[in-house]
Amino acid sequence: MNMTTPTEELHQQLNSWKEEVNEVRTEVKMMRERLEQIALSKASRDVMTKVEHFENRLLRQREVADEMYHDLKQCAKKVSNAPVTAVHDDRPIDDYDTMQHRMEIFQKLYISLKEEFNDFMPCEV
C-alpha cells in the first residue's frame, strides 16, 4: 500500500491542476483555429461580431491560463520549501488553499466560456 505524505498529495494535486491548465491551453488554441476559419469565410457582420467577441475572450483565457500555470509552479516550489523566485502581490501564491480557490474560479469561468463557444459554433460550422 502506497502511503503519501501531505506534501506529496499537495504536489500531486498541483501537478494535476497544471495538466488541466495545459489542456485548457490546447483547447483554446483549437477554438481560435475554428474562429479563424469563420473569419476567413464570407460570414455576416453579426457572425463576425461574435467571432471578434470570442477571439477577445479566448485571448484573455490564454493569458489567465498562462498566469495560472506559472503560479501553480511557484506554489509547488513554495510547498516544497524551495526558494520562490517571483512574488505576485496581485495573484497570491502563498498557500495551497488560495491556489485551490483560484483554480475553482478558473475552472468555472472556462466551462462557461466553452459552453458559450460551443453554443455559437454549431450554427456556423
Side-chain angles (χ1 to χ4, degrees):
M1 177 178 191
N2 269 348
M3 296 295 288
T4 58
T5 66
T7 302
E8 288 173 353
E9 289 174 8
L10 291 176
H11 278 288
Q12 288 173 355
Q13 182 62 60
L14 290 167
N15 286 333
S16 173
W17 287 338
K18 286 194 297 186
E19 288 174 18
E20 185 176 345
V21 169
N22 272 332
E23 288 174 19
V24 167
R25 288 167 153 173
T26 301
E27 289 180 13
V28 165
K29 182 180 178 185
M30 291 186 317
M31 286 186 251
R32 291 187 74 198
E33 289 169 358
R34 290 175 69 191
L35 286 176
E36 286 176 21
Q37 293 171 350
I38 294 172
L40 295 173
S41 72
K42 296 185 189 284
S44 70
R45 176 174 270 174
D46 183 50
V47 170
M48 293 307 288
T49 300
K50 290 179 184 175
V51 166
E52 183 177 353
H53 164 77
F54 281 111
E55 285 176 339
N56 292 334
R57 288 199 54 202
L58 292 172
L59 178 63
R60 181 60 187 137
Q61 183 66 46
R62 173 60 196 234
E63 291 170 350
V64 171
D66 289 346
E67 291 169 0
M68 279 299 300
Y69 190 85
H70 178 267
D71 293 350
L72 287 165
K73 286 183 4 182
Q74 295 301 314
C75 186
K77 286 180 185 178
K78 185 151 181 103
V79 167
S80 67
N81 295 325
V84 177
T85 57
V87 175
H88 304 282
D89 293 333
D90 60 333
R91 299 189 324 257
I93 58 168
D94 289 20
D95 60 67
Y96 175 82
D97 292 334
T98 300
M99 291 306 299
Q100 182 177 22
H101 178 69
R102 287 183 55 208
M103 193 65 194
E104 288 169 1
I105 293 169
F106 175 81
Q107 292 163 332
K108 287 177 186 175
L109 291 174
Y110 178 67
I111 288 168
S112 173
L113 170 61
K114 188 174 178 179
E115 288 172 353
E116 184 181 343
F117 180 84
N118 287 336
D119 287 343
F120 166 69
M121 288 308 291
C123 300
E124 307 308 322
V125 176

